Amino acid sequence: MRGKMGQVVVSGLAALSLLGAAVPAMAVQTASQDAGVAIEPSAQSRALAARVIAITTPNMEKQLLDYMASVMAASGLRDADAQIGAWMEKNAGPILITHVRTFMGQIETVYATRFTPAELQAMVDFYESPIGRTIASKQVQIGIETGELQEPMLLAYMTDLMAQMCAANDCGDVKGGDATTGKSSRR
């Protein structure tokens, strides 16, 4: 059961990481952040950044909810524990969306701080063009697909990290390995 729950959690983390592909250039830090100085973006920059985010992530919430529903269905969690499985199926996606909305607000601030109003307007103009809309509509799906590629890597990383930590430290009296609990198969 814990292994299945861990797979769902990893899938949720992968879904969050997909936003890196869905929102262009979001990993860029601002010069003011690099200097340790916080600069409050203008209302115009915030409004333009909000438009960029909105048009570059069309149907993102629906696509994320659909993805999480497919993860839940494939997890077998309902078979392992009907009550917990039903609760997770009902709540995992909406809880993820709450966090995604917060994250998207943070990305909006990065955009508003990093780009000038003219640059943001150029992005809006591009993404509102026919080719821009086509590209934007594909970015979220590409993000989901790359998130799916990340799941096995994240699980392998967690497994390797916990195994190496337990090899170097006493992880207790646990038999059998489970990457989701951090327990070592070493004793």
Side-chain angles (χ1 to χ4, degrees):
M1 164 83 151
R2 277 189 172 168
K4 292 179 186 302
M5 189 82 79
Q7 288 171 332
V8 170
V9 170
V10 168
S11 295
L13 291 173
L16 282 176
S17 71
L18 75 85
L19 295 174
V23 181
M26 76 180 207
V28 180
Q29 283 190 322
T30 67
S32 62
Q33 289 169 328
D34 291 342
V37 177
I39 295 176
E40 185 61 31
S42 70
Q44 178 189 19
S45 290
R46 283 197 172 279
L48 286 167
R51 281 180 66 196
V52 170
I53 300 304
I55 60 181
T56 58
T57 56
N59 303 315
M60 179 191 60
E61 288 187 11
K62 180 186 180 318
Q63 290 182 34
L64 283 173
L65 289 172
D66 291 348
Y67 171 71
M68 287 304 292
S70 70
V71 166
M72 294 306 303
S75 73
L77 193 56
R78 189 179 276 264
D79 295 335
D81 186 310
Q83 182 178 357
I84 289 175
W87 188 93
M88 288 290 290
E89 285 174 12
K90 179 181 176 189
N91 294 291
I95 291 170
L96 174 63
I97 294 301
T98 299
H99 293 279
V100 166
R101 287 177 182 157
T102 299
F103 182 58
M104 297 307 285
Q106 293 167 337
I107 292 170
E108 183 181 302
T109 300
V110 170
Y111 270 57
T113 306
R114 176 67 175 151
F115 295 106
T116 67
E119 292 167 332
L120 290 164
Q121 185 62 57
M123 283 191 262
V124 167
D125 294 344
F126 171 73
Y127 283 112
E128 286 182 342
S129 73
I131 192 70
R133 282 192 300 267
T134 299
I135 290 169
S137 70
K138 292 179 181 180
Q139 285 179 300
V140 172
Q141 186 56 44
I142 288 169
I144 289 171
E145 290 173 23
T146 59
E148 289 171 353
L149 295 173
Q150 290 177 357
E151 286 179 47
M153 184 276 303
L154 290 171
L155 191 56
Y157 165 71
M158 288 172 42
T159 301
D160 191 31
L161 177 68
M162 297 315 297
Q164 289 188 38
M165 185 206 50
C166 288
N169 301 284
D170 181 12
C171 289
D173 196 19
V174 178
K175 305 254 186 211
D178 183 346
T180 59
T181 62
K183 304 299 182 186
S184 171
S185 55
R186 165 187 165 275
R187 174 68 193 144

